[in-house]
Every structure is written in structure tokens, then in C-alpha cells.
Amino acid sequence: MAFLPTTREEMLEQGYEQVDFVYVNGDAYVDHPSFGCAIITRVLQAYGYSCAILAQPDWHKDEEFLQFGEPRLGFLVSAGNIDSMVNHYSVNKRRRDHDSYSDDGVMGKRPDRPTIVYTQILKRLFPHKPVLIGGIEASLRRLSHYDYWDDAVRRSILMDSQADLLMYGMGENTIVEVADALASGLAAKDLCYIRGTCWKTKSLEYLSDYILLPSYEEVKADKRTYAKSFHIQHENIDAIAASVLVEPYDGWYVVQNQPPLPLTQEEMDFTYSLPYERTFHPKYHYIPAIEEVQFSIVSNRGCFGSCAFCAITHHQGRVISTRSKESIVEEAKRITEMPNFKGYIHDVGGPTANFSREACDKQREFGACKKRECLFPKPCGNMVVDHSRYLDILRSVRELPKIKKVFIRSGIRYDYLMQDKNDEFFDELVKYHISGQLKVAPEHINAAVLDKMGKPRKELYLKFVEKFKEKNEQFHMDQYIVPYLMSSHPGSDLQAAIELACYLKKIHYTPKQVQDFYPTPGTPATCMYYTGLDPKTMRPVYVAKTWEEKAMQRALMQFTYPQNYDLVYKALKKAGREDLIGNGPKCLISYRRPSANNFSHKQAKGKDKTMNKKNVGTKKRTDAHKRERNAQR
């Protein structure tokens, strides 16, 4: 089946004088099930609704938004697959020079905060037509939130954009219900009953069972109030256990309905069976984001890992949705028929590859627990650890003709794997599914930092590393672990950063790229960063906020780099750890006189730029995967 129309000419060629929906997207048009735009429009098409796609319109020209005319039912607006601000700016707020979701990676094809910009344009040009917003940018900003780039608390994006309705979370069922309601003649203002939506009202007279949050003005004025409000929101992200939330504004209320129910296996299979072209529209030269996902298969959604820095639970929920083996094998067969397929499936997974079922048997009926996590601080006694279904899928896919290798690249939760008393999956992971390096995410080594991250203590990670080594020796494999590590996460001070540096020296490892903590909406860690409080306990949390300290923590992770000497020296002196300066076996750096240059905000940005240039070769190959991972954090 052909791509959906992207111009008026294509719309007319496909036989439409008017479409039901125009989908306005901040990304280039890629018709692949790893892209939200493709999923939503193909689902609508399957239910009999026509769509045109307005991808990356020039927001300075009204004619671009007018080209399809007025849609029958309304406009759908999304910023794209990842948060636009993460896409545009590094953690040091430096403008990036590469956009993996635009043609040839060219930056500048969309504005900052495109959900707001596009929606305001559409409301001006089509004042009587519904404008409905969705995607991860809208989903994570559905209520008031700390905005790192403004360094301020912003209102719900529903208020700032003036959209008629906000859809959050996994949207297949939500969009069909919204489309059916609009097609039946209901006005957008009457769509106040649909799961997975937020709407605004001036009266609560028809709402009976809800939690009233502190007002926007209250959370903006007081960080403690902000943290309390965030904690209530975080406890109400499960579709079954959540309550309706109401946030007051000056004369208005934003109402967050309960989240959408997790997709059933049949619904997941339906979504991924639709006739995607699995590539970008032919009007483009090359969209870099396709590289890591074109030959990848999504097997699950949701995550019960609940890392504090990750927004997936806020967006997809904690209950796992999975596909059937038959559905995944059928998609793999379609991939093998693609003309540019070389025999390698890049991934079979999701937010966490080896979460192939709900954490426990109670979750489908009762939802995820409000007051405790499944894996942290220790695994719940009700958790069922079982890799057999995922292993069966992997075996079936790798046995298909034309497939040489099936990789797992979307991430393994080693703490969940280590709970499995059956080593069968671990054995086959090592033998068949690693491309030389296995990327896992211990994130840190300091106990206090790991507690704030919601990650297991280092002892479990070290046991995993040892077991991985033993498995490689057993099967005569030469493979290595590449740990994802993070600097400047809330809770990490210079002493913790130095502890991590000493560990890296001990294992003779210098990470080529360093992930500095990036505060994005929707995560407990961002709440800690802004308020200095742990929203669960309301106890103070240390936060590194100055450019200088953040740069020092980042430099400590790469203490072997000559250009980092001055920062490492300064960090060690400031922390009173001169014992690590010298020629001893435990020293991080030798003693020499540091340069006379004083550190400044400008130098912090310069160092970030240097690091990006240094790693640009690697970055181009993995940019789509890493950008998406960072955005979900």
C-alpha cells in the first residue's frame, strides 16, 4: 500500500477531495511502526478514516498549513518521535547541529516546542476546527511541569497551545474512540470521558470522583508543593489503579482522565500487522533515524523497571503489553523480503527487551502497585521471572531463512535476568544475540546515587559481570560489557563521582561517551533536580546544578583524557582527595601544575562541543537510538 498523502497533489491523486484528519508532525514522514505518526495514521486508516500528513511545515508560511484545506474531523498535532527540546539542545543547552528525524540530518526543520507553535497557527487559521495534540512532547507535559530549558515551571501544554484535547500515553485505542466520537457529531469540548485524554473546563460540576491537585500557581510558587503534586501524579499512572486528576488554573481546570488500558496481545498484533512501508517517504534523500530501527522489531511496551530518570513509565505505564510469537515472526518474514536486508535483525525488544510479560499475575486485573516498585529496592516476592516466552520468540526468528543473526540492542535488565534461576536465556543471549558488546545500564556505582536512581546496588552488577565473563568462557566467546553510566544525577556529589572514577580505573575502562543527567518532564529525577527533594520521602537530595560541577563530574568519568586534566585536578582538590593525584597505583592523575585558565560557563559549553566533535563518527551511527533513549529518560 502507498504512503499516505503528504501534499495536496498526492491527496487528489489518491482520490480524496477532503481527508478526515490532517496529521501535522515535527518529524519527516517515516512510515515505520517505530514512529508514532505512522502507527496513529495507519490505525485510523484501518478503521476507515482518511489522513494526510503535513510533515515539518515551514511555520513562517500560512500556506503550508492551508494546502490540504479543512479536514472533515480535525487536525492531529505531534512534535515527533522525541521531545523537540532534547532533539534541539544538548544537556549544556548548546544547539545541536544534527537532527536524525529530518532529511539528511539537517537541523532547523521544526521550531522549538512545535506542538505549541503548530497548534496556535492552526487555531488561528481554522478557529472552528478541532485541534488534538499527542505524542511524547504533549504526553509528558500534560500537567504543570518543570522546564529545564526555561528553568521555570510551565503550565500544562494544553493551556499553552490552546488545543481542544490532549491525548497521552499509548494512543491507538484513544484515537479511534476520539475519531468515532467526532464522526458521530460530538463536539471536541464534549470528549471528556475518554481514557488517555486531558481536557480543560471552567466547571467541575459534572465531575464527582477525582483528586484535586495543588493549583499551577501553588506549584510554581513553592518547590515542596511541586514535589508533593508530582508524587500524586506519579502514583496515578496505572490504568486500573489511577484516579482522575484535576489541576486548577486561573479560571480553568485541566482534567487528566485515567490512562489508556494496556493493549491486549490481539490489539498489539493488529497495530504491527498494518501495511507500513517500513521506510521514509521517497521525497526525502535520507532520514538517519531509520538506520537503527528499519530492521528492528518491537515486541513489547511498558516498563516496570521504574528508573527515576526515565519517563517511559509516565508515558507507557508499568504494565507490559506484548505481541504474539506469530505476529513477530510474520514481521520478521516481511523484513527478510526487503531489498536492502542483509540478514541481520537489529533488535527484538522494547523499552526493556527481556520484559516479555507482566511483572506479576495480579497486574492485569488490579494494575501496578501505587506504593512499591517491582524491582526496587529489592525484587517483589510476587514478581514472576520468566524468559521462556521471549526465548521462544528469538529462536523462531533466528531460524527463519535469510536471517544470519538476531541482535538484542534495546537493553537487558540485568537485575531481572539475575533473578532467573534458569540459565537457558542467559546462555543463548551470550551465544547468539550479542554483536561483540553487550550494553547494560548500571548507571553508577555509588550506593546513595543508585538509591536515588531506583537502580540495584553495585554488588549485583558485579555478580552479573562475573557471570557474563564465565558464560563467555564457557561458550568460547570473546564479548564484552559496555556499561551505560551517568554523571550529575540527583544524589551524586563530587565524592560519589570520584568513587565512580576509581571504579573505572580499577576495571581499566574509559567510556567514549558520557551521559550527563538531562532533566526532562515526567521523571522523578527531574522533580529532584528542580526541588532538591525526593518526592517519595520529601527529604533533601543533593543536586549538582552549576556548569562547573557538572563538568567536573563528567570529566572524572573520562579522567584519562588529557584535555580533562584541569577539571579532574580541581575536582580532586575541592573534594579533599589529593591522595588520588600522583604516581601511585590508585591515583587518577599525575601531579603537574594545572593550566592558568579559569573555568567558565563558556568553557563548559566548549568542552561539550569538543566532546561531540570527537565522537561524531560513532554518534552518526547510533544517533537515532541514543536520542530516543535520552528523550525517554
Side-chain angles (χ1 to χ4, degrees):
M1 186 175 289
F3 287 90
L4 299 179
T6 64
T7 63
R8 181 163 186 82
E9 291 72 26
E10 290 176 6
M11 183 180 80
L12 296 174
E13 286 173 6
Q14 294 189 26
Y16 298 111
E17 291 288 338
Q18 183 187 39
V19 291
D20 294 318
F21 292 100
V22 173
Y23 191 116
V24 187
N25 191 26
D27 291 342
Y29 175 31
V30 182
D31 190 33
H32 187 284
S34 290
F35 293 76
C37 171
I39 285 179
I40 295 300
T41 53
R42 287 297 187 187
V43 167
L44 284 169
Q45 184 185 51
Y47 277 85
Y49 295 101
S50 56
C51 297
I53 295 177
L54 181 56
Q56 297 187 322
D58 185 341
W59 62 100
H60 302 101
K61 300 177 181 178
D62 286 353
E63 55 267 29
E64 298 233 348
F65 294 84
L66 294 166
Q67 62 179 290
F68 293 109
E70 186 174 282
R72 184 173 72 93
L73 298 178
F75 291 93
L76 306 174
V77 176
S78 170
N81 242 34
I82 69 173
D83 190 288
S84 69
M85 301 302 284
V86 174
N87 192 52
H88 286 177
Y89 299 96
S90 74
V91 68
N92 280 340
K93 301 184 183 181
R94 182 187 65 83
R95 185 79 171 181
R96 300 189 195 272
D97 54 11
H98 183 81
D99 182 351
S100 290
Y101 294 86
S102 296
D103 199 12
D104 284 329
V106 173
M107 180 58 77
K109 295 287 188 178
R110 76 187 101 196
D112 289 351
R113 313 183 198 281
T115 303
I116 295 174
V117 175
Y118 295 160
T119 300
Q120 290 180 346
I121 292 171
L122 292 169
K123 294 301 291 184
R124 174 171 55 83
L125 297 176
F126 302 92
H128 304 298
K129 191 56 64 174
V131 180
L132 319 171
I133 60 176
I136 195 165
E137 183 165 271
S139 184
L140 299 184
R141 291 168 167 78
R142 53 191 187 258
L143 295 172
S144 60
H145 54 279
Y146 171 70
D147 184 274
Y148 173 67
W149 305 274
D150 282 355
D151 192 24
V153 177
R154 290 181 66 103
R155 304 189 301 173
S156 163
I157 198 171
L158 187 62
M159 299 295 291
D160 282 346
S161 68
Q162 291 303 301
D164 296 282
L165 191 74
L166 183 154
M167 293 173 282
Y168 72 90
M170 300 294 93
E172 291 98 320
N173 290 339
T174 304
I175 191 60
V176 171
E177 195 170 358
V178 166
D180 288 347
L182 292 173
S184 73
L186 286 177
K189 65 182 177 64
D190 296 323
L191 306 186
C192 56
Y193 59 91
I194 298 174
R195 279 180 172 271
T197 62
C198 295
W199 47 285
K200 56 184 185 286
T201 179
K202 289 194 171 184
S203 172
L204 299 178
E205 59 180 315
Y206 300 112
L207 208 59
S208 58
D209 188 13
Y210 60 88
I211 295 175
L212 185 66
L213 298 170
S215 70
Y216 165 68
E217 292 299 333
E218 289 173 322
V219 299
K220 184 179 180 181
D222 182 68
K223 291 183 178 181
R224 179 169 288 271
T225 303
Y226 180 99
K228 289 179 179 178
S229 180
F230 176 85
H231 186 55
I232 295 171
Q233 295 171 43
H234 196 64
E235 285 190 331
N236 285 275
I237 56 176
D238 181 79
I240 297 174
S243 299
V244 173
L245 302 180
V246 176
E247 185 172 63
Y249 288 78
D250 185 19
W252 287 91
Y253 300 94
V254 171
V255 181
Q256 176 184 297
N257 287 344
Q258 291 173 306
L261 292 168
L263 296 184
T264 65
Q265 188 171 100
E266 292 74 18
E267 290 167 339
M268 283 279 281
D269 288 354
F270 172 75
T271 288
Y272 291 94
S273 70
L274 299 175
Y276 304 99
E277 293 289 329
R278 299 193 68 86
T279 189
F280 48 84
H281 193 279
K283 70 180 182 179
Y284 303 117
H285 177 252
Y286 185 68
I287 308 299
I290 196 64
E291 185 173 336
E292 284 295 316
V293 299
Q294 187 169 32
F295 306 121
S296 296
I297 300 172
V298 174
S299 62
N300 65 70
R301 293 185 190 170
C303 183
F304 53 82
S306 300
C307 299
F309 48 78
C310 180
I312 287 177
T313 54
H314 205 66
H315 184 55
Q316 294 190 3
R318 288 171 56 191
V319 177
I320 305 298
S321 296
T322 59
R323 295 169 61 185
S324 70
K325 179 178 76 171
E326 292 74 21
S327 169
I328 292 170
V329 170
E330 184 57 37
E331 183 174 351
K333 289 178 180 177
R334 291 197 298 271
I335 289 174
T336 65
E337 299 303 318
M338 296 176 67
N340 56 339
F341 180 65
K342 306 297 184 186
Y344 299 97
I345 299 292
H346 292 171
D347 189 29
V348 179
T352 298
N354 58 326
F355 285 173
S356 58
R357 54 151 294 148
E358 301 92 343
C360 70
D361 295 330
K362 297 179 179 180
Q363 284 191 347
R364 278 288 175 181
E365 184 177 356
F366 301 106
C369 300
K370 279 190 175 185
K371 299 296 183 181
R372 71 149 297 147
E373 305 293 340
C374 303
L375 279 165
F376 181 82
K378 62 181 180 179
C380 175
N382 292 322
M383 187 174 70
V384 178
V385 181
D386 185 4
H387 288 91
S388 59
R389 183 178 174 278
Y390 185 44
L391 186 57
D392 185 35
I393 290 169
L394 293 171
R395 287 169 176 168
S396 298
V397 172
R398 71 175 186 249
E399 288 171 2
L400 291 175
K402 301 182 181 179
I403 290 183
K404 300 175 183 177
K405 187 102 173 179
V406 179
F407 297 117
I408 299 174
R409 291 183 177 174
S410 54
I412 294 289
R413 279 297 294 235
Y414 68 86
D415 48 348
Y416 183 76
L417 177 56
M418 292 293 283
Q419 293 296 317
D420 196 343
K421 294 179 172 59
N422 186 338
D423 275 0
E424 203 170 11
F425 173 70
F426 207 145
D427 291 347
E428 296 198 18
L429 170 69
V430 170
K431 288 195 290 186
Y432 302 119
H433 301 293
I434 300 173
S435 58
Q437 297 177 335
L438 177 65
K439 295 177 181 177
V440 294
E443 302 295 357
H444 215 280
I445 215 74
N446 176 268
V449 180
L450 290 169
D451 287 347
K452 295 307 176 190
M453 289 179 161
K455 299 288 286 187
R457 296 290 180 89
K458 70 177 181 181
E459 289 77 15
L460 183 61
Y461 172 68
L462 297 178
K463 287 180 181 178
F464 169 75
V465 170
E466 185 60 31
K467 189 170 183 177
F468 182 79
K469 180 181 177 182
E470 291 171 359
K471 293 291 183 185
N472 276 271
E473 291 173 353
Q474 177 184 347
F475 300 115
H476 308 290
M477 308 294 287
D478 186 22
Q479 298 175 142
Y480 303 91
I481 286 177
V482 176
Y484 279 122
L485 299 166
M486 186 183 297
S487 64
S488 301
H489 188 279
S492 178
D493 57 15
L494 280 180
Q495 296 292 351
I498 291 168
E499 182 181 344
L500 177 57
C502 291
Y503 169 74
L504 293 174
K505 180 179 178 64
K506 181 179 178 181
I507 65 172
H508 308 290
Y509 176 70
T510 300
K512 292 183 179 179
Q513 291 181 313
V514 174
Q515 175 61 51
D516 200 356
F517 169 67
Y518 203 147
T520 55
T523 73
T526 297
C527 180
M528 293 182 214
Y529 175 87
Y530 169 60
T531 65
L533 299 168
D534 184 333
K536 282 186 179 180
T537 64
M538 298 305 294
R539 294 173 182 164
V541 178
Y542 180 83
V543 177
K545 283 196 173 183
T546 67
W547 294 111
E548 182 180 40
E549 183 174 353
K550 288 164 72 71
M552 285 192 290
Q553 290 204 27
R554 189 166 61 242
L556 279 163
M557 292 171 65
Q558 296 174 319
F559 64 88
T560 61
Y561 288 7
Q563 64 268 32
N564 286 341
Y565 181 91
D566 288 357
L567 281 167
V568 174
Y569 180 89
K570 188 169 186 176
L572 295 175
K573 290 282 286 185
K574 185 174 181 179
R577 293 302 306 271
E578 291 93 336
D579 58 302
L580 297 177
I581 304 173
N583 297 318
K586 294 185 178 181
C587 291
L588 298 180
I589 55 174
S590 61
Y591 186 83
R592 68 173 174 81
R593 187 182 298 277
S595 65
N597 294 331
N598 291 321
F599 187 86
S600 68
H601 176 98
K602 184 176 180 180
Q603 285 174 306
K605 290 191 172 185
K607 286 184 179 293
D608 180 72
K609 187 174 182 179
T610 301
M611 185 178 68
N612 275 275
K613 286 184 176 179
K614 180 180 180 65
N615 295 311
V616 72
T618 303
K619 184 174 181 290
K620 284 184 178 179
R621 287 193 56 81
T622 61
D623 189 75
H625 175 74
K626 291 196 177 212
R627 289 269 183 89
E628 186 166 355
R629 180 175 181 267
N630 290 344
Q632 290 169 340
R633 289 181 171 185

